[in-house]
Amino acid sequence: MNNFFTEEEKERYARHFLLDGFGEEGQGKLKNARVLIVGTGGLGSPVALYLAAAGVGQIGIVDDDVVAASNLQRQVIHDTSMIDQPKVVSAKRRLVALNPLIKIAVGNERLIAENAQRIISAYDLVVDGTDNFQSRYIINKACVELNKPWISGSIFKYDGQVSVFNWQGGPCYCCLYPEPPAPDEVPPASKVGVLGVLPGVIGSIQATEAIKLITGIGKPLSKRLLLYNSLDMQFMEVDIMRDPGCKCCGRTGI
């Protein structure tokens, strides 16, 4: 394994090499991994930054939005100089500056039902940084069909949640949310606001779960939904069971 890493990589990832249960083997798995991040906003920012810093060998980012001034309160991968520029261009610039030893692939497009399988099939796992239920159902359906795990994160005002779906026979997103809520039940951040640091917490947890899935360390958040309340600084867990009749992953599904 020693010849697998350059001297520059050995210095950059030295703290990982020192970790019990991680070491060169874990870093090697990161180097060989391919992770797709859907969305480079509040959640996608910390996910992309930490996975790039950790040495994930190939990171794909997909987003069709442009950087706006109102994004900068929480979308820390972007800066003022990139306002009105495509988010994927801004994100790639920052990631290359952070770690030029990895590959960054960008798609300045929205992940939709028609392109989801094509895009996701090139990666080992998906991290969701979107902000709407429609995109999550599209990601879930494609991941079930392709047998790919994905890490879901969501935020609302002061609260957030994280889980791992479609991992080793575990539940999918539809097992937890068979139907999306009514449009007026979960208004967007543009109408109700969001605490700027909240996506940093949730996105960092998503990045942690991605590293765990890739390297095989720890216990993933599969079959568990982690809930976070920033005002009370409390974490809670809710068990998730796979639904045999799930319309997406169950016997009556695809």
Side-chain angles (χ1 to χ4, degrees):
M1 184 69 75
N2 287 334
N3 295 329
F4 184 66
F5 298 103
T6 65
E7 291 302 316
E8 187 176 2
E9 288 172 326
K10 291 177 184 178
E11 181 178 4
R12 181 178 288 265
Y13 308 128
R15 298 302 184 272
H16 276 173
F17 288 158
L18 293 171
L19 273 177
D20 291 338
F22 198 103
E24 291 188 4
E25 182 179 356
Q27 193 63 44
K29 291 177 180 178
L30 290 182
K31 184 174 180 176
N32 285 327
R34 300 166 300 168
V35 177
L36 175 67
I37 303 169
V38 184
T40 52
L43 293 173
S45 289
V47 171
L49 288 168
Y50 275 111
L51 293 186
V56 170
Q58 182 170 328
I59 295 175
I61 48 178
V62 178
D63 199 319
D64 69 340
D65 202 1
V66 297
V67 179
S70 60
N71 298 150
L72 302 181
Q73 164 250 16
R74 64 201 176 281
Q75 299 181 18
V76 295
I77 203 168
H78 311 297
D79 61 50
T80 304
S81 70
M82 297 304 289
I83 289 175
D84 294 330
Q85 296 300 308
K87 285 186 177 179
V88 292
V89 173
S90 173
K92 181 175 182 178
R93 185 186 73 155
R94 178 71 180 93
L95 296 179
V96 169
L98 176 63
N99 190 350
L101 306 182
I102 64 174
K103 296 178 181 178
I104 309 295
V106 302
N108 188 15
E109 59 184 319
R110 187 177 186 86
L111 189 86
I112 57 177
E114 288 74 19
N115 64 20
Q117 280 209 23
R118 169 180 60 82
I119 294 172
I120 291 174
S121 63
Y123 295 90
D124 303 316
L125 63 93
V126 179
V127 184
D128 170 36
T130 63
D131 60 0
N132 64 89
F133 282 91
Q134 180 183 15
S135 294
R136 294 172 194 141
Y137 284 110
I138 290 171
I139 293 170
N140 185 71
K141 185 175 187 294
C143 284
V144 169
E145 292 172 344
L146 295 169
N147 194 28
K148 307 273 188 179
W150 69 285
I151 301 161
S152 172
S154 63
I155 53 175
F156 184 69
K157 295 184 179 179
Y158 299 100
D159 301 322
Q161 55 183 244
V162 186
S163 189
V164 173
F165 294 109
N166 203 44
W167 171 251
Q168 295 185 345
C172 79
Y173 189 76
C174 286
C175 295
L176 177 63
Y177 297 112
E179 301 293 338
D184 58 345
E185 286 186 34
V186 188
S190 59
K191 295 185 179 297
V192 298
V194 62
L195 186 66
V197 299
L198 177 63
V201 176
I202 300 303
S204 295
I205 295 172
Q206 288 181 277
T208 304
E209 290 301 299
I211 291 171
K212 286 162 58 180
L213 294 188
I214 293 166
T215 62
I217 62 171
K219 178 183 178 183
L221 271 173
S222 178
K223 303 179 183 178
R224 297 181 290 154
L225 179 67
L226 183 67
L227 305 172
Y228 172 64
N229 180 316
S230 65
L231 293 182
D232 295 333
M233 197 50 68
Q234 289 185 339
F235 288 90
M236 292 178 52
E237 273 192 21
V238 176
D239 292 335
I240 309 172
M241 301 297 293
R242 184 169 182 179
D243 179 5
C246 175
K247 64 182 181 181
C248 192
C249 72
R251 290 191 298 269
T252 58
I254 60 171

